[in-house]
Amino acid sequence: MDVLITLFYILFSICVVYPPTEFVSAGFTIPQVFEGFLGSENTNFIKYHMKRITITVLLHASLPLGYIVTLWCSGEHGEWLLFSLIATALIPTFMLYKVTCWWEYDKKNHPVVKALLPYVSSGGDWRILAADFNIEFRGVDKVSIPLNATNKVIATQTWLIKVSQYNINIIKQADCALVATTADIHNLAPAGEEEVQYVNIEVISSRDDMKQFGFRISTAALRELQPGLERPIRVPEHISLMPPLIERFVHVFKEHVSQNPVYYVDQELEQCIGCMQNPADVKINKRCDPPAYIAEGAPPPCQQCNCRVLWCCACMARWWATRAAGVPSSWLSARGSCPVCRAVFCLLDVSFAAPRTTAT
């Protein structure tokens, strides 16, 4: 019985410290449970995280004591239980004393306030800077990227913030440079159909009174963060960032289309109606043979498309990918539909188009 209780409590503690997706969806995280006490992050960012960090460290420090209390409630009354109770009670007691020190002496020992102090002038009040910070944080132009269930990075017009469970890092974007240090690729599926690249970013400060910090972020999230930064992220030559999945599909799509015969037209190629940047260079021309038998539930056979050349190969590939089903490795074997007349076609029916004068 004690073994089961121990395993259950260990699992529970891990879910409290590092909440999984199920806990987040169910609202069983510290910020969600204490939402009424914490208030709104968007309204008062500094005060919100001062309270959140305080509650987090107290609850996490009380987990060992909770384990001993759970054993006692389950019927365990060994002699060692009293000593264990006293020993584990010292942990939240010490943490309560430390938290009390945070909130004393004008709260200047609190981790959130200490992150602001380097930008407070000598003899100034940190609350003035906090009020200006909260006003800027309420703006709609900030970019917030979750790193995991407990950490996130936020870029406002002036500031770069990293929020973690027990701490917070705040630095002005003008005082730092973001440098990619390492990158690694992981397969999300056993067969390797989906890959994700993670990049370790170091935030290097130009001020001596600011500590260097870093965060780990996916390449896709990094592209979402970049518009909120004043300066581009420095990527050394030995690190190659993986392009988005859709761009990789466009490259493979073009390679397969180039293997099909060129379709010559008696007209000058116009601009692509999808992007209006590249010339329209693909034509859907039925080349595959109709199947002798169509099974029930099978995709419809390919049809002849009578539309003129309107799309470039990149836009046609993106149109195909956005409507493809299944894993990315099966997209090429699927069938698409013409964006204009909805005629069904396969990859064999897509050919690069060229004016007939080019052939001459």
Side-chain angles (χ1 to χ4, degrees), residues 37-89:
F37 172 73
L38 297 177
S40 172
E41 179 189 41
N42 194 60
T43 303
N44 195 330
F45 179 89
I46 299 298
K47 187 176 181 180
Y48 173 89
H49 285 284
M50 290 177 68
K51 293 180 179 180
R52 180 193 61 80
I53 292 177
T54 300
I55 294 176
T56 300
V57 296
L58 288 176
L59 289 180
H60 289 182
S62 302
L63 288 176
L65 177 61
Y67 170 67
I68 301 300
V69 173
T70 303
L71 288 179
W72 180 80
C73 293
S74 64
E76 178 65 39
H77 299 289
E79 297 180 357
W80 59 273
L81 197 65
L82 178 61
F83 298 100
S84 300
L85 184 66
I86 297 174
T88 53

XYZ file of all heavy atoms in Angstrom, residues 37-89:
424
model
N -6.680 35.118 -6.928
C -5.745 35.840 -6.057
C -4.667 36.566 -6.852
O -4.273 37.686 -6.500
C -5.103 34.855 -5.078
C -3.977 35.460 -4.266
C -4.241 36.363 -3.243
C -2.660 35.121 -4.535
C -3.208 36.918 -2.507
C -1.623 35.673 -3.804
C -1.904 36.568 -2.780
N -4.217 35.961 -7.928
C -3.130 36.552 -8.700
C -3.577 37.749 -9.516
O -2.810 38.688 -9.731
C -2.515 35.494 -9.633
C -1.848 34.293 -8.963
C -1.357 33.305 -10.013
C -0.696 34.736 -8.078
N -4.799 37.745 -9.988
C -5.267 38.830 -10.831
C -4.914 38.584 -12.288
O -4.695 37.445 -12.712
N -4.830 39.640 -13.051
C -4.573 39.551 -14.486
C -3.123 39.900 -14.781
O -2.617 40.932 -14.331
C -5.506 40.489 -15.259
O -5.143 40.535 -16.624
N -2.464 39.042 -15.538
C -1.086 39.317 -15.940
C -1.028 40.516 -16.869
O -0.105 41.331 -16.796
C -0.483 38.084 -16.627
C 0.946 38.282 -17.099
C 1.441 37.147 -17.964
O 0.652 36.679 -18.814
O 2.600 36.736 -17.801
N -1.998 40.637 -17.746
C -1.982 41.727 -18.724
C -2.221 43.082 -18.060
O -1.730 44.101 -18.536
C -3.044 41.483 -19.794
C -2.871 42.364 -21.003
O -1.841 42.323 -21.677
N -3.864 43.189 -21.285
N -2.952 43.103 -16.957
C -3.249 44.368 -16.276
C -2.083 44.832 -15.417
O -1.695 45.996 -15.461
C -4.518 44.222 -15.418
O -5.600 43.798 -16.253
C -4.873 45.533 -14.743
N -1.527 43.928 -14.624
C -0.421 44.288 -13.718
C 0.609 43.167 -13.758
O 0.590 42.256 -12.931
C -0.943 44.510 -12.296
C 0.055 45.233 -11.412
O 1.268 45.113 -11.598
N -0.453 45.982 -10.444
N 1.484 43.218 -14.749
C 2.441 42.133 -14.973
C 3.359 41.950 -13.778
O 3.590 40.810 -13.336
C 3.261 42.445 -16.227
C 4.306 41.422 -16.551
C 4.004 40.330 -17.342
C 5.603 41.544 -16.062
C 4.957 39.379 -17.640
C 6.563 40.601 -16.358
C 6.239 39.517 -17.147
N 3.913 43.015 -13.221
C 4.898 42.916 -12.143
C 4.267 42.316 -10.888
O 4.795 41.356 -10.302
C 5.511 44.298 -11.844
C 6.225 44.842 -13.094
C 6.480 44.211 -10.675
C 7.374 43.995 -13.576
N 3.143 42.841 -10.454
C 2.497 42.337 -9.237
C 2.019 40.904 -9.419
O 2.100 40.084 -8.491
C 1.331 43.251 -8.871
C 0.694 42.917 -7.539
C -0.394 43.922 -7.196
C -1.023 43.608 -5.844
N -2.093 44.587 -5.501
N 1.533 40.593 -10.610
C 1.057 39.236 -10.888
C 2.175 38.220 -10.674
O 1.987 37.192 -9.999
C 0.523 39.164 -12.320
C 0.151 37.771 -12.780
C -1.128 37.264 -12.587
C 1.089 36.963 -13.436
C -1.470 35.996 -13.018
C 0.751 35.699 -13.865
C -0.521 35.211 -13.668
O -0.843 33.945 -14.099
N 3.345 38.472 -11.242
C 4.431 37.498 -11.142
C 5.111 37.538 -9.781
O 5.709 36.524 -9.371
C 5.442 37.740 -12.261
C 4.957 37.266 -13.600
N 4.926 35.928 -13.949
C 4.455 37.939 -14.665
C 4.447 35.800 -15.173
N 4.151 37.004 -15.625
N 5.028 38.633 -9.072
C 5.509 38.634 -7.688
C 4.692 37.663 -6.842
O 5.234 36.885 -6.043
C 5.447 40.047 -7.118
C 6.470 41.019 -7.707
S 6.306 42.705 -7.065
C 6.801 42.448 -5.350
N 3.379 37.695 -7.017
C 2.518 36.760 -6.281
C 2.701 35.329 -6.777
O 2.754 34.385 -5.982
C 1.056 37.180 -6.430
C 0.702 38.496 -5.768
C -0.775 38.806 -5.983
C -1.187 40.104 -5.330
N -2.632 40.412 -5.551
N 2.797 35.170 -8.099
C 2.883 33.814 -8.665
C 4.141 33.106 -8.196
O 4.093 31.926 -7.792
C 2.864 33.897 -10.191
C 2.946 32.538 -10.883
C 3.232 32.687 -12.352
N 4.503 33.347 -12.610
C 5.679 32.731 -12.557
N 5.761 31.441 -12.234
N 6.801 33.400 -12.810
N 5.285 33.775 -8.236
C 6.533 33.152 -7.806
C 6.479 32.820 -6.325
O 6.948 31.759 -5.892
C 7.717 34.083 -8.134
C 7.909 34.175 -9.651
C 8.994 33.588 -7.474
C 9.001 35.130 -10.071
N 5.881 33.698 -5.526
C 5.778 33.445 -4.083
C 4.959 32.194 -3.807
O 5.363 31.317 -3.025
C 5.145 34.660 -3.390
O 5.955 35.820 -3.618
C 5.017 34.412 -1.899
N 3.796 32.076 -4.445
C 2.954 30.904 -4.218
C 3.630 29.639 -4.750
O 3.567 28.573 -4.116
C 1.583 31.119 -4.901
C 0.834 32.250 -4.229
C 0.753 29.844 -4.866
C -0.486 32.598 -4.886
N 4.309 29.747 -5.871
C 4.939 28.570 -6.477
C 6.016 27.987 -5.580
O 6.056 26.772 -5.349
C 5.532 28.942 -7.845
O 4.490 29.425 -8.697
C 6.179 27.730 -8.490
N 6.900 28.831 -5.053
C 7.986 28.309 -4.216
C 7.444 27.735 -2.907
O 7.967 26.727 -2.390
C 9.043 29.399 -3.951
C 9.717 29.833 -5.236
C 8.444 30.603 -3.250
N 6.385 28.328 -2.363
C 5.824 27.802 -1.118
C 5.158 26.450 -1.343
O 5.322 25.521 -0.534
C 4.817 28.802 -0.537
C 5.400 30.095 0.073
C 4.287 31.015 0.523
C 6.331 29.769 1.228
N 4.395 26.315 -2.416
C 3.727 25.038 -2.682
C 4.726 23.945 -3.031
O 4.599 22.803 -2.563
C 2.704 25.217 -3.811
C 1.457 26.023 -3.465
C 0.537 26.118 -4.667
C 0.707 25.387 -2.291
N 5.720 24.255 -3.846
C 6.714 23.245 -4.193
C 7.534 22.834 -2.982
O 7.909 21.661 -2.859
C 7.634 23.781 -5.295
C 6.946 23.899 -6.620
N 7.590 24.317 -7.767
C 5.650 23.635 -6.991
C 6.748 24.323 -8.783
N 5.563 23.913 -8.331
N 7.821 23.769 -2.093
C 8.566 23.425 -0.886
C 7.728 22.590 0.079
O 8.286 21.886 0.941
C 9.043 24.697 -0.188
N 6.412 22.638 -0.046
C 5.529 21.878 0.850
C 5.241 20.473 0.348
O 4.577 19.699 1.052
C 4.208 22.631 1.030
O 4.424 23.928 1.537
N 5.707 20.118 -0.842
C 5.426 18.787 -1.375
C 6.015 17.662 -0.521
O 5.329 16.656 -0.287
C 5.938 18.701 -2.815
C 5.131 19.480 -3.854
C 5.799 19.407 -5.226
C 3.700 18.951 -3.953
N 7.272 17.735 -0.032
C 7.758 16.661 0.849
C 6.923 16.519 2.111
O 6.651 15.391 2.570
C 9.200 17.090 1.167
C 9.595 17.964 0.029
C 8.344 18.697 -0.336
N 6.515 17.643 2.718
C 5.659 17.575 3.902
C 4.313 16.942 3.559
O 3.765 16.154 4.341
C 5.463 18.979 4.468
C 4.532 19.091 5.684
C 5.080 18.285 6.854
C 4.348 20.557 6.081
N 3.788 17.258 2.392
C 2.528 16.653 1.985
C 2.625 15.146 1.832
O 1.648 14.427 2.087
N 3.798 14.654 1.431
C 3.980 13.207 1.295
C 3.895 12.521 2.654
O 3.241 11.481 2.806
C 5.328 12.934 0.636
C 5.729 11.483 0.648
C 5.025 10.526 -0.083
C 6.822 11.051 1.406
C 5.380 9.196 -0.060
C 7.191 9.716 1.427
C 6.475 8.795 0.701
O 6.840 7.475 0.720
N 4.552 13.105 3.655
C 4.514 12.505 4.996
C 3.102 12.550 5.553
O 2.620 11.581 6.172
C 5.503 13.232 5.923
C 6.933 13.151 5.355
C 5.466 12.641 7.320
C 7.444 11.745 5.192
N 2.389 13.660 5.335
C 1.008 13.765 5.814
C 0.120 12.748 5.109
O -0.779 12.138 5.723
C 0.492 15.200 5.605
C -0.988 15.292 5.932
C 1.282 16.178 6.452
N 0.367 12.507 3.828
C -0.409 11.510 3.083
C -0.191 10.114 3.643
O -1.143 9.329 3.775
C -0.028 11.547 1.599
O -0.242 12.868 1.084
C -0.849 10.559 0.794
N 1.070 9.785 3.980
C 1.342 8.478 4.586
C 0.639 8.338 5.937
O 0.104 7.274 6.267
C 2.853 8.295 4.755
C 3.674 8.064 3.489
C 5.150 7.924 3.835
C 3.194 6.826 2.739
N 0.639 9.413 6.722
C -0.008 9.346 8.039
C -1.522 9.166 7.879
O -2.138 8.396 8.614
C 0.300 10.636 8.810
C -0.320 10.656 10.176
C 0.133 10.045 11.309
C -1.539 11.322 10.534
N -0.716 10.279 12.366
C -1.757 11.060 11.915
C -2.461 12.092 9.838
C -2.860 11.561 12.601
C -3.562 12.594 10.514
C -3.752 12.329 11.887
N -2.100 9.856 6.907
C -3.546 9.717 6.689
C -3.918 8.337 6.151
O -5.052 7.868 6.346
C -4.029 10.795 5.719
S -3.928 12.484 6.356
N -2.982 7.668 5.498
C -3.265 6.328 4.967
C -3.099 5.235 6.008
O -3.332 4.064 5.700
C -2.347 6.043 3.775
O -0.985 5.999 4.182
N -2.691 5.581 7.229
C -2.583 4.587 8.290
C -1.179 4.253 8.719
O -0.982 3.401 9.593
N -0.170 4.912 8.161
C 1.216 4.660 8.548
C 1.526 5.435 9.829
O 1.379 6.654 9.896
C 2.167 5.109 7.425
C 3.624 4.932 7.756
C 4.001 3.471 7.911
O 3.506 2.638 7.136
O 4.799 3.162 8.825
N 1.974 4.728 10.865
C 2.273 5.367 12.156
C 3.592 4.858 12.721
O 3.721 4.640 13.930
C 1.143 5.105 13.171
C -0.180 5.639 12.736
N -0.495 6.990 12.682
C -1.302 4.987 12.292
C -1.726 7.154 12.252
N -2.254 5.954 12.007
N 4.593 4.679 11.907
C 5.893 4.234 12.377
C 6.605 5.310 13.178
O 6.246 6.502 13.150
N 7.640 4.892 13.937
C 8.390 5.842 14.759
C 9.132 6.864 13.908
O 9.350 8.001 14.332
C 9.380 5.073 15.643
C 8.701 4.138 16.632
C 9.723 3.403 17.481
O 10.937 3.606 17.228
O 9.313 2.665 18.384
N 9.526 6.467 12.722
C 10.276 7.378 11.852
C 9.407 8.493 11.283
O 9.914 9.505 10.799
C 10.884 6.599 10.684
C 9.843 5.900 9.845
C 9.308 4.670 10.039
C 9.182 6.437 8.693
N 8.357 4.369 9.099
C 8.267 5.445 8.244
C 9.270 7.633 7.997
C 7.442 5.639 7.137
C 8.456 7.821 6.888
C 7.554 6.828 6.469
N 8.062 8.292 11.365
C 7.169 9.249 10.742
C 7.249 10.611 11.432
O 7.199 11.659 10.768
C 5.736 8.718 10.786
C 4.733 9.401 9.834
C 5.137 9.140 8.385
C 3.318 8.907 10.086
N 7.388 10.630 12.755
C 7.456 11.897 13.478
C 8.717 12.670 13.113
O 8.669 13.886 12.890
C 7.414 11.630 14.990
C 7.521 12.877 15.881
C 6.356 13.827 15.612
C 7.563 12.469 17.362
N 9.853 11.977 13.050
C 11.102 12.662 12.683
C 11.042 13.161 11.235
O 11.544 14.248 10.921
C 12.283 11.708 12.882
C 12.471 11.270 14.303
C 12.021 10.027 14.734
C 13.090 12.099 15.236
C 12.181 9.621 16.047
C 13.256 11.690 16.556
C 12.810 10.455 16.963
N 10.435 12.348 10.382
C 10.300 12.776 8.997
C 9.384 13.986 8.887
O 9.615 14.899 8.062
C 9.755 11.638 8.129
O 10.623 10.522 8.171
N 8.346 14.008 9.707
C 7.425 15.140 9.690
C 8.130 16.431 10.096
O 7.943 17.485 9.473
C 6.248 14.854 10.624
C 5.125 15.896 10.657
C 4.419 15.950 9.312
C 4.139 15.589 11.771
N 8.962 16.325 11.133
C 9.695 17.515 11.593
C 10.707 17.960 10.538
O 10.849 19.159 10.249
C 10.395 17.212 12.933
C 9.350 16.899 14.013
C 11.260 18.390 13.354
C 9.949 16.457 15.329
N 11.404 16.984 9.924
C 12.432 17.330 8.931
C 11.822 17.984 7.693
O 12.332 18.988 7.182
C 13.211 16.081 8.546
N 10.726 17.410 7.214
C 10.101 17.982 6.007
C 9.397 19.302 6.303
O 9.230 20.122 5.397
C 9.099 16.990 5.416
O 8.158 16.576 6.434
C 9.808 15.750 4.873
N 8.983 19.498 7.570
C 8.340 20.771 7.912
C 9.337 21.918 7.919
O 8.948 23.094 7.789
C 7.652 20.664 9.265
